Amino acid sequence: MDYNEMLKTARDLLAPKCRVCPVCDGRACRGEVPGAGGKGSGDSFVRNVAYLRDVQIVLDTLYAEHGQDTSCEFFGRKFALPAFPAPIGGMKMNYGSDISEEAQAERVLAGSAAAGSAAFTGDSPVREAFYGPLEAMKRLGVPGVPTIKPWSLDLALPRVQAAKEYGATAIAMDVDAAGLVNVKLNGGTVYPKSVADMKELVAACAPLPFIVKGVMSAKGALKAAEAGVYGIVVSNHGGRVLDSSPATAEVLPEIRAALGENSPVKIFMDGGIRTGLDVFKAIALGADAVLIGRPIITASFGGGAEGVEMYLKKVAAELVATMLMTGASNLKEITRDMVRLPK
Ligand SMILES: Cc1cc2nc3c(=O)[nH]c(=O)nc-3n(C[C@H](O)[C@H](O)[C@H](O)COP(=O)(O)O)c2cc1C
C-alpha cells in the first residue's frame, strides 16, 4: 500500500461525510458538526491549518552534522516521535460509518504503538464510545490515553477509575467539550471545570498523569497549572466547539511564555497538524508535543493499523528532514528563532 492508494481507499469509504481533501484544511466541510468539519462558519478549523501553514521555517545547514533524534519522554515512557493521535469518537454520527468505536480505536491504538506513539481515545454519552477503546487498549496491551468528557464529577470519577483499572497510560479531559453540540444531541450534559474540580481530578487520577485538553489562553493555562495537572493540550477541538477562535498555533507562544520555558506542565498542541513540518513549527512555537486528529481517521480508514503506522512514520521522517535543514539534532534544540510568524 502506498500513501496515495491509502487516501483513495479512505475517500471511497468516508464519502460523503469526509471528502479526504489533498490537504485537510476545513474548507470543504465548513459548518459540518456533526460531521468532520468546524462549527458555524468553520473559520476556527480553517484558521488552525492556514496559520500554521504560513509559519515559515528558517533554513540553516551551516553546522557540524550530528544526526536527528525525534525521541521523547512523556508519562514516564519513551516515544519515537512527539506526535500522538488525538481522541476522535462518534464514527456513526460524524463519519456515517458502521465501524464500532472499539474496532476503530483498536486499529488506531495498534498503528500508533507500532510507530512508537500512543493514541488518545474518546468519549460520548454512548457508553461504548468510552469503554470500547478501553477494551481494545487492554486487549492489545499498548499505551493509550482515554479522554473523558467534562461530565459532572459524579459521572466523570467512575470513568477515571475504569481507565485506571483497564491500564491507561494517562487520563485526559476535553474541558472544551462544554461547547460541543454532538454531546447534547446524544443526550449528555457537560460542564466547565473550576480549579477545585481539576484538583479533584488530578487527585483521582494519581498516580496516573492528568491532562486538560482544550486550553486556549494564558489565563486558562495558569489555572490548569495551579490545579497541578501533568499537562495541557492547547486545542480548540479542531474548531468544533466555538466559531471565530484564534488558531491554536497563534496562542501557543503566549501560553508557553505564561508557563515559562522550563515549566513542569507539559504543553501539547493540536489543530491543523498535518505533516512533520507542522510538528516542527509547533515545537518551535512552544509545544512539547502535538496531537493529530482528522488525518489519523483518513489513515485508519485507508489502511487500518498499517495506515496509521505508515502515516505516523511519514510525519516522523518529515520532522527528521526539517531538523536536518535547521540544525536541530534533538527536540530540545528546536527553538523559537527557527521559525518566523506570518505578517
Ligand atoms: C469527528 C471528530 C470527533 C472528535 N471527537 C473527540 C472526542 O471524542 N474527544 C476529544 O477530546 N476530542 C475530539 N475531537 C477533537 C480532536 O481530538 C482534536 O482536538 C482535533 O481534531 C484536532 O484538530 P485536527 O483534526 O485539525 O488535527 C474530535 C474531532 C473530530 C474531527
Side-chain angles (χ1 to χ4, degrees):
M1 175 184 47
D2 75 10
Y3 191 68
N4 287 327
E5 247 175 70
M6 185 188 88
L7 293 184
K8 184 178 175 330
T9 307
R11 204 167 286 128
D12 293 343
L13 289 171
L14 289 167
K17 288 281 196 176
C18 169
R19 290 87 172 162
V20 187
C21 302
V23 176
C24 171
D25 62 7
R27 287 186 301 160
C29 53
R30 281 179 185 273
E32 294 180 9
V33 185
K39 190 173 181 174
S41 71
D43 280 351
S44 302
F45 174 9
V46 171
R47 194 173 291 123
N48 280 346
V49 180
Y51 185 86
L52 203 52
R53 182 198 57 219
D54 288 347
V55 173
Q56 301 142 24
I57 301 170
V58 181
L59 180 151
D60 176 12
T61 48
L62 294 174
Y63 63 90
E65 163 67 351
H66 36 29
Q68 295 80 33
D69 177 7
T70 63
S71 69
C72 49
E73 206 177 308
F74 295 99
F75 325 124
R77 278 175 179 261
K78 271 215 138 194
F79 295 100
L81 75 166
F84 302 93
I88 293 210
M91 289 305 115
K92 183 77 186 167
M93 191 176 228
N94 294 310
Y95 290 99
S97 168
D98 287 328
I99 191 168
S100 70
E101 299 292 324
E102 183 170 338
Q104 170 60 17
E106 176 158 350
R107 56 195 192 179
V108 175
L109 284 158
S112 307
S117 174
F120 285 56
T121 59
D123 189 13
S124 94
V126 181
R127 194 177 184 281
E128 199 247 335
F130 183 71
Y131 287 90
L134 285 186
E135 293 285 354
M137 190 183 68
K138 187 173 176 188
R139 189 168 56 248
L140 294 167
V142 298
V145 185
T147 306
I148 301 171
K149 288 269 172 277
W151 316 120
S152 56
L153 289 189
D154 59 321
L155 293 180
L157 292 176
R159 293 199 168 193
V160 167
Q161 199 47 42
K164 288 168 114 173
E165 284 164 15
Y166 275 85
T169 307
I171 299 172
M173 177 174 277
D174 51 326
V175 288
D176 56 357
L180 196 58
V181 284
N182 286 17
V183 174
K184 294 189 180 108
L185 289 175
N186 266 328
T189 314
V190 279
Y191 305 93
K193 292 285 168 279
S194 65
V195 171
D197 293 334
M198 285 189 284
K199 280 188 178 163
E200 210 170 322
L201 286 159
V202 169
C205 291
L208 295 186
F210 176 65
I211 300 143
V212 168
K213 176 172 180 282
V215 174
M216 282 296 287
S217 67
K219 200 168 74 177
L222 291 172
K223 286 189 218 172
E226 185 190 339
V229 303
Y230 171 86
I232 60 170
V233 186
V234 176
S235 173
N236 56 16
H237 218 100
R240 292 168 69 75
V241 291
L242 178 67
D243 206 345
S244 267
S245 158
T248 49
E250 209 170 345
V251 297
L252 180 58
E254 296 160 27
I255 291 176
R256 168 54 73 193
L259 290 181
E261 269 318 307
N262 299 312
S263 172
V265 178
K266 303 286 182 207
I267 303 180
F268 300 84
M269 178 224 136
D270 76 16
I273 303 282
R274 302 291 176 258
T275 65
L277 283 97
D278 295 333
V279 179
F280 181 94
K281 292 175 186 182
I283 294 177
L285 293 175
D288 292 301
V290 302
L291 270 52
I292 303 178
R294 296 168 178 95
I296 295 288
I297 295 296
T298 307
S300 58
F301 275 81
E306 205 190 309
V308 172
E309 179 184 356
M310 181 170 79
Y311 173 70
L312 286 171
K313 286 186 169 166
K314 176 175 158 304
V315 167
E318 291 159 349
L319 176 58
V320 164
T322 314
M323 290 166 72
L324 169 73
M325 294 307 291
T326 51
S329 69
N330 59 51
L331 301 180
K332 287 267 165 281
E333 290 182 9
I334 301 177
T335 48
R336 178 65 186 77
D337 57 319
M338 292 178 175
V339 291
R340 292 166 67 104
L341 296 182
K343 292 258 165 16

